[in-house]
Amino acid sequence: MKKGKATIHDIAEKLNITASTVSRALNDNPRISENTKKLVLKMAKQLNYQPNHIASALRSGKSKLIGVLVPTANRNFFSSVVRGIEDIANELDYKVIISQSYEDSEKEIQNIEALLNARVDGIIASIGKNTENFDHFQKVLDKGIPLVLFDRITNQLDVSQVVIDDYQGAYDTTKHLIEVGCKRIAHFTSPKKINIYKERLRGYEDALKDFGIPFDPELIEESNMQLEDGRTSMENLINKGIVFDAVFSSSDYAVMGAMQVLREHKITVPDQVKLAGFGNEPFTSFTAPPITTVDQKSIPMGRVTAETFFELLKLDGKKGNNQKTVLKPELIIRESTQKSN
């Protein structure tokens, strides 16, 4: 036999049957006898036959593949959302191709192109922090391919979306800090024009206003919200001599950096400064003290996103009403915001 990938023609030749019979047997066609199916599957295994899903998609119009684009897969939040998506996809015999943009808009554009070339039946995506132009997503919609955005979305696209109520999560956290006696609450946010940070900032501002605490722009620290950024933001507050008794960070990673710096400066948590994050990353329950945070319901978010996607897929390119699903977050109160005696 010739070198290279085995094809249905190679299986047909070995078994002395037609290629169309092999194809039907591999697709479990009821017209083919169980005996023939067994022989074909056995020979396919022997020849290490790998089905060509692109050729199959061209024939059937369905590849049974979903492209999932995330900023990074090594965050508990995104990996849990993917798990939720796969729970639903696998029940419906769909496979998921995961692609990462690493917050790079050029890479995001390339990944969308690669997923379209792989003939995926649709795309589920969370937008990278640095993306400001959404033409590559519009291209997906223009082709009539189902697209659902989750968590990091944009209102510049007419598309179905699944988000957590970021505003409510931030409002509840700020309210909780005020209720345990905090009056000078610093807020770590991002300068990027991403919905999640804008909504969390709005929740923080509204809670201050509702409790009669004036908003102070000096208490706002903007960064990329990574651990190192949290360290820098905390150093900034301390070095400028700004008075604060709490930090509410839009990211668990940044609040972890803040905690490290406070410890280095011998400032105790929660007695002198209270800390709260957002995301419920696993490490927040293992720190000393454990960190108060907002749970984003990542697995349910993945499941709802997949369900929304399959509803769109049923429309088969026909225009339907785009839906925005907003999930309720949960404030997890831990020792980092305990009321001082």
Side-chain angles (χ1 to χ4, degrees):
M1 199 182 89
K2 63 181 186 297
K3 292 273 185 207
K5 282 185 181 172
T7 67
I8 57 169
H9 298 283
D10 299 321
I11 299 168
E13 199 178 308
K14 288 277 185 187
L15 296 173
N16 204 17
I17 55 178
T18 66
S20 59
T21 302
V22 173
S23 178
R24 288 192 189 105
L26 290 170
N27 287 305
D28 204 20
N29 189 305
R31 284 168 56 192
I32 306 298
S33 73
E34 286 306 313
N35 189 42
T36 303
K37 282 179 194 172
K38 276 182 192 159
L39 287 171
V40 168
L41 288 171
K42 190 178 172 189
M43 184 55 70
K45 200 172 178 184
Q46 271 178 32
L47 298 178
N48 196 21
Y49 167 74
Q50 300 292 326
N52 181 342
H53 86 265
I54 291 178
S56 161
L58 287 168
R59 284 192 301 274
S60 69
K62 289 277 178 280
S63 65
K64 293 277 192 171
L65 295 174
I66 309 171
V68 176
L69 177 60
V70 293
T72 175
N74 70 353
R75 286 289 167 92
N76 180 63
F77 171 71
F78 287 116
S79 58
S80 297
V81 171
V82 169
R83 185 181 147 193
I85 292 169
E86 287 192 313
D87 283 349
I88 301 293
N90 292 344
E91 281 171 22
L92 297 168
D93 202 24
Y94 264 75
K95 297 288 176 276
V96 169
I97 299 177
I98 301 162
S99 196
Q100 302 176 78
S101 69
Y102 301 105
E103 311 286 10
D104 179 336
S105 47
E106 271 309 307
K107 191 148 187 56
E108 191 174 86
I109 292 166
Q110 290 163 13
N111 288 349
I112 290 285
E113 205 57 50
L115 291 171
L116 292 175
N117 289 339
R119 301 266 170 188
V120 293
D121 288 345
I123 293 172
I124 292 170
S126 189
I127 297 167
K129 277 182 194 168
N130 300 309
T131 302
E132 292 179 352
N133 180 307
F134 305 102
D135 289 353
H136 48 302
F137 290 114
Q138 189 57 51
K139 181 180 176 180
V140 177
L141 295 171
D142 291 346
K143 283 177 177 281
I145 293 168
L147 172 67
V148 179
L149 297 180
F150 73 91
D151 187 49
R152 299 195 200 162
I153 58 168
T154 174
N155 294 323
Q156 291 181 40
L157 294 166
D158 184 17
V159 66
S160 286
Q161 305 168 344
V162 180
V163 292
I164 192 102
D165 193 335
D166 288 288
Y167 170 86
Q168 196 61 50
Y171 186 96
D172 292 347
T173 307
T174 310
K175 175 173 177 265
H176 163 67
L177 288 167
I178 295 165
E179 286 172 344
V180 294
C182 301
K183 289 187 169 59
R184 297 277 299 164
I185 304 164
H187 180 53
F188 291 180
T189 185
S190 166
K192 305 294 180 193
K193 303 289 178 275
I194 288 191
N195 62 300
I196 59 172
Y197 299 123
K198 285 196 284 195
E199 285 300 292
R200 290 170 197 176
L201 176 61
R202 196 167 70 82
Y204 159 82
E205 288 177 351
D206 280 2
L208 292 180
K209 190 165 72 182
D210 289 352
F211 283 85
I213 296 172
F215 173 77
D216 182 354
E218 273 199 333
L219 289 168
I220 305 297
E221 280 288 326
E222 293 187 340
S223 75
N224 272 331
M225 309 300 284
Q226 304 304 311
L227 187 138
E228 274 307 313
D229 300 309
R231 289 185 60 88
T232 305
S233 293
M234 183 51 79
E235 291 283 7
N236 287 346
L237 291 173
I238 292 169
N239 293 340
K240 288 178 194 166
I242 293 166
V243 178
F244 62 96
D245 53 14
V247 173
F248 163 45
S249 169
S250 273
S251 146
D252 283 340
Y253 288 86
V255 88
M256 181 74 192
M259 181 182 260
Q260 291 175 354
V261 171
L262 288 170
R263 188 174 294 131
E264 288 158 18
H265 284 266
K266 306 284 189 290
I267 298 169
T268 59
V269 177
D271 295 339
Q272 289 171 279
V273 172
K274 296 181 185 0
L275 294 179
F278 207 110
N280 199 19
E281 288 288 338
F283 64 77
T284 55
S285 58
F286 301 124
T287 52
I291 298 170
T292 292
T293 185
V294 177
D295 186 73
Q296 290 178 275
K297 306 290 177 196
S298 46
I299 292 176
M301 183 181 276
R303 294 181 71 91
V304 171
T305 303
E307 284 161 1
T308 305
F309 171 84
F310 284 109
E311 284 299 315
L312 275 180
L313 201 61
K314 270 191 219 158
L315 293 171
D316 207 20
K318 292 193 284 289
K319 195 86 176 119
N321 286 333
N322 287 320
Q323 33 181 318
K324 183 171 185 174
T325 309
V326 182
L327 304 177
K328 195 173 170 7
E330 182 189 356
L331 177 62
I332 313 278
I333 297 169
R334 299 194 181 113
E335 284 170 47
S336 70
T337 58
Q338 242 174 17
K339 198 167 186 171
S340 309
N341 295 326

